[in-house]
Amino acid sequence: MVCLGNICRSPMADVVLGEHVERAGLSGQVTVNSCGTGDWHIGQPMDQRAAATLAAAGFDPTRHRARLFDPGWLERHDLVLAMDEQNLADVLAAATSAHQGRVRLFRDFDPIGTGGEVPDPYYGGNAGFEEVLAMVERTSAALVSALQQDLS
């Protein structure tokens, strides 16, 4: 998962999707990671509001540390999911033509609002983080379902 600073949207998706993957028994086959296209927060934990929203929903946000997107991720990952159109464009700009098919919007898998963006909650209040969590949870469930079909 890729967002701008890797402290709100993509780490929330990383934690939630990782938990869904583990519950589905796919952790031996699927690795979940996140990063950002900007370098402002490298090494920092996720935004406190994102962490609190995850913790309130029963997820563990404590292991996350922000990382910077590296074009090598396109070699090491089968699927790179951007949180919005700008992050998608940034990742695609770093992708060779052979890897561009691996890059999509995260919400391409969302059963509601397919192909939309995950809004950045950073400059808003708690409701924005709750909205992102709802999107991430339903999209993660759909992704795991697709992964189960692809891996069986």
Side-chain angles (χ1 to χ4, degrees), residues 98-113:
H99 294 118
Q100 288 190 350
R102 297 179 182 191
V103 182
R104 298 182 56 190
L105 282 172
F106 179 77
R107 289 192 65 202
D108 283 352
F109 295 91
D110 187 343
I112 302 171

Side-chain angles (χ1 to χ4, degrees), residues 25-93:
L26 299 175
S27 56
Q29 298 172 284
V30 177
T31 301
V32 180
N33 290 304
S34 67
C35 61
T37 57
D39 63 0
W40 312 279
H41 303 290
I42 294 173
Q44 295 177 10
M46 73 176 73
D47 182 280
Q48 291 180 358
R49 297 164 298 171
T53 301
L54 286 172
F59 297 99
D60 178 9
T62 60
R63 293 184 303 255
H64 175 77
R65 293 297 176 266
R67 294 183 284 179
L68 183 63
F69 173 76
D70 174 331
W73 282 50
L74 296 162
E75 291 285 336
R76 296 186 302 272
H77 295 83
D78 296 317
L79 187 60
V80 177
L81 301 173
M83 296 293 131
D84 62 34
E85 294 287 346
Q86 184 59 58
N87 296 129
L88 179 69
D90 291 343
V91 172
L92 285 171

Side-chain angles (χ1 to χ4, degrees), residues 8-10 12-13 53 83 106 118-121 126-138:
C8 295
R9 298 171 289 175
S10 62
M12 289 178 78
T53 301
M83 296 293 131
F106 179 77
V118 177
D120 190 348
N126 291 336
F129 289 91
E130 292 168 10
E131 177 187 15
V132 168
L133 179 58
M135 285 178 189
V136 164
E137 285 199 272
R138 70 177 178 252

